[in-house]
Amino acid sequence: MAGEKLSTVEVQQRVDKCMELRYYSASTPILQKQWIDYCHENYGDKSEQQYHAYWAKARDKYEENWRGKLSKMLDPAMNELFSLLADDDPKIRQRTVDQIMKYSGNDIEKIEAKIEGNITLKWGDEEDGENEE
């Protein structure tokens, strides 16, 4: 069922059709099994494995397009944050750094702890809080 090798343009047309049915035009997105059935009915020249490959390429292309759109939306916000880093007010600069950390997934968790009792710290060769000199 392998048939002849398709050109890059023909493969891209099939991937685009998959994207259309899966993400854009259908009110109910096509499922993978339905895509395979669609390929058998409309193309019938490749293996199921190859039709699965078109499905995966469509997902990859969609995610790449989505990342590009997201990046375009975030660029103005990031540019504003960079300009705020140059502000004269240290509080604004600190809040800007906090926002950048949050956007990058490195948000600092603040934990409130209630400590009861005494805390004893020992430094180096100290014993029981006495310093040996």
Side-chain angles (χ1 to χ4, degrees), residues 3 6-8 26 30 33 37 42-43 50 54 58 64-65 69 74 82 86-87 96 101 106-107 117 123 126 133:
L6 297 176
S7 70
T8 304
I30 193 170
K33 173 73 172 118
D37 293 342
N42 292 284
Y43 307 126
Q50 187 59 51
Y54 299 152
E64 181 181 320
N65 290 343
K69 287 178 184 178
L74 288 177
F82 288 134
D87 197 275
T96 302
M101 294 297 286
N106 296 315
D107 195 17
W123 305 99
E126 296 177 9
E133 292 187 63

Side-chain angles (χ1 to χ4, degrees), residues 72-122:
K72 286 180 184 175
M73 291 187 319
L74 288 177
D75 281 346
M78 290 304 296
N79 291 337
E80 180 64 22
L81 287 173
F82 288 134
S83 69
L84 290 172
L85 283 172
D87 197 275
D88 292 332
D89 187 348
K91 289 181 182 179
I92 290 177
R93 289 194 309 265
Q94 181 58 51
R95 288 183 183 154
T96 302
V97 169
D98 292 344
Q99 288 301 311
I100 291 171
M101 294 297 286
K102 188 181 290 186
Y103 286 151
S104 65
N106 296 315
D107 195 17
I108 298 170
E109 290 186 37
K110 296 179 181 173
I111 301 171
E112 183 178 338
K114 183 176 180 181
I115 300 173
E116 295 178 1
N118 295 328
I119 297 176
T120 304
L121 301 175
K122 295 182 182 181

Side-chain angles (χ1 to χ4, degrees), residues 15 17-18 21 27 38 49 59 71 80 86 89 107 115:
V15 171
K17 186 63 177 177
C18 182
L21 295 172
S27 60
Y38 175 88
Q49 183 179 4
R59 181 196 64 232
S71 178
E80 180 64 22
D89 187 348
D107 195 17
I115 300 173

